[in-house]
Amino acid sequence: MGTPATTSALRTRDIQAAGLRTRILEGGPDPKATEAVVFVHGNPGSCEDWRDLMTRLAPHMRVLSFDMPGFGHADKPRDYPYSVQAGAMFIGEVLREQGIVNAHIVLHDFGGPWGLSWAAMNGLAVRSITLVNTGMLIGYRWHLMARIWRTPILGELQQMITTRRGFHWAMKVGCPRGLPTEFVDRMYDDMDGGTKRAILKLYRATNDRDQMSQALSAMLRPLDLPCLVVWGGADPYLPVKFAHMQKDTFPRAQVQVLPDSGHFPFADNPEGVAQAVLPFLLEQVQQRAA
């Protein structure tokens, strides 16, 4: 169960959702199953962030991930409303287009606000929630890089002068275990002008994160959903104290802290993340099947 498949059972293809083209990564024994584990990446990731976990889960259930608008290989239109609300609506359109009625959502980074907003609006469709260094961030203050991105001109300048070497250096901050070179290179290669524009618009459109978290918490708490929280304890952007705060919204939440992991624990400690996530998701799916 915790061992990767010898060969990847995943497939990639392009789809259209909400008028945009995006890349989808999928697998599982039944490609038409109406219940699936749905992975949502953050900034500046893509569906490829989840390949390892999806490969491990694919023999057991339908798994699905996709590039959010502005990221990875998705369309990156200049006039798209990059926002939490638009991201939540896009998730809903993808799931509707793919025939998914029941979803176990796995979220990371900005995938948290997108996915939790979708969950709050679709309480009957969400079956479990897995949070990886994301969640309800009540009382959160923007980290330094986010404050730079939210500042006009300064944000554009930062994006303009960031080189591959500088990006590798920045990704090492708060990551004691280090990140695979190919993981960081892939992120940098995907971060073209369209993605840089999307990042700036997204962060500048998110002005009320604390208020939004409180509203989402109030909507999701009565659902009492099964929840797993996995957190890199050395994350310099989202302090580990927020891992335990998720129980305020999800009282049954199981919290697993990986002390020497950073903001991308699925990349710097894939085995540790898999050992937490796989049993949880398999249990949820098996309970529903029973």
Side-chain angles (χ1 to χ4, degrees):
M1 183 165 57
T3 303
T6 53
T7 58
S8 174
L10 305 183
R11 306 172 296 276
T12 58
R13 58 188 173 95
D14 287 349
I15 65 167
Q16 291 279 334
L20 298 177
R21 179 192 56 81
T22 190
R23 173 184 56 172
I24 194 170
L25 182 65
E26 61 186 348
D30 182 1
K32 299 294 185 181
T34 59
E35 183 167 349
V37 180
V38 178
F39 295 79
V40 185
H41 69 79
N43 166 48
S46 74
C47 65
E48 285 290 338
D49 290 359
W50 302 113
R51 181 175 286 275
D52 178 72
L53 271 177
M54 291 176 66
T55 299
R56 297 171 189 252
L57 280 167
H60 308 282
M61 62 193 74
R62 186 180 181 187
V63 292
L64 182 80
S65 186
F66 46 89
D67 294 341
M68 292 294 288
F71 295 87
H73 293 184
D75 283 344
K76 306 173 183 182
R78 186 178 295 271
D79 58 350
Y80 183 79
Y82 298 99
S83 66
V84 172
Q85 295 78 11
M89 291 180 62
F90 186 78
I91 292 172
E93 284 297 304
V94 171
L95 299 192
R96 182 186 63 80
E97 198 273 342
Q98 294 302 304
I100 296 174
V101 178
N102 299 303
H104 303 265
I105 54 175
V106 182
L107 314 173
H108 173 249
D109 187 77
F110 231 103
W114 289 326
L116 291 171
S117 294
W118 172 83
M121 295 184 292
N122 297 272
L124 295 178
V126 61
R127 297 305 177 193
S128 72
I129 295 178
T130 300
L131 302 171
V132 183
N133 286 68
T134 193
M136 304 300 174
L137 303 179
I138 297 172
Y140 175 71
R141 294 182 179 274
W142 290 110
H143 57 80
L144 175 60
M145 191 58 66
R147 295 200 298 272
I148 291 173
W149 290 332
R150 286 170 53 80
T151 304
I153 302 178
L154 183 60
E156 281 80 359
L157 180 61
Q158 186 276 331
Q159 296 279 29
M160 187 188 314
I161 65 175
T162 298
T163 63
R164 185 180 297 272
R165 178 175 293 183
F167 187 72
H168 271 268
W169 176 85
M171 292 288 281
K172 290 180 181 178
V173 175
C175 190
R177 297 176 67 96
L179 288 168
T181 299
E182 59 273 17
F183 174 80
V184 181
D185 278 336
R186 173 176 57 76
M187 279 192 167
Y188 183 81
D189 291 339
D190 284 343
M191 203 164 60
D192 57 13
T195 295
K196 292 177 179 180
R197 181 173 59 242
I199 292 170
L200 297 181
K201 293 185 72 172
L202 176 61
Y203 276 79
R204 291 170 187 177
T206 311
N207 295 315
D208 54 354
R209 190 155 189 180
D210 183 79
Q211 183 179 350
M212 177 180 64
S213 286
Q214 294 188 48
L216 290 176
S217 182
M219 296 171 71
L220 289 168
R221 189 180 301 113
L223 300 180
D224 193 21
L225 291 164
C227 178
L228 172 68
V229 180
V230 180
W231 213 280
D235 189 338
Y237 310 111
L238 299 177
V240 71
K241 67 177 182 180
F242 289 105
H244 303 283
M245 288 174 60
Q246 302 312 307
K247 287 192 172 185
D248 294 340
T249 303
F250 307 105
R252 289 191 287 153
Q254 305 170 34
V255 179
Q256 176 70 54
V257 175
L258 303 175
D260 58 350
S261 281
H263 186 62
F264 302 91
F266 50 81
D268 70 27
N269 189 358
E271 290 297 328
V273 173
Q275 287 173 16
V277 172
L278 267 63
F280 171 78
L281 288 174
L282 290 172
E283 180 184 6
Q284 302 310 313
V285 174
Q286 289 165 0
Q287 284 180 349
R288 284 183 50 76

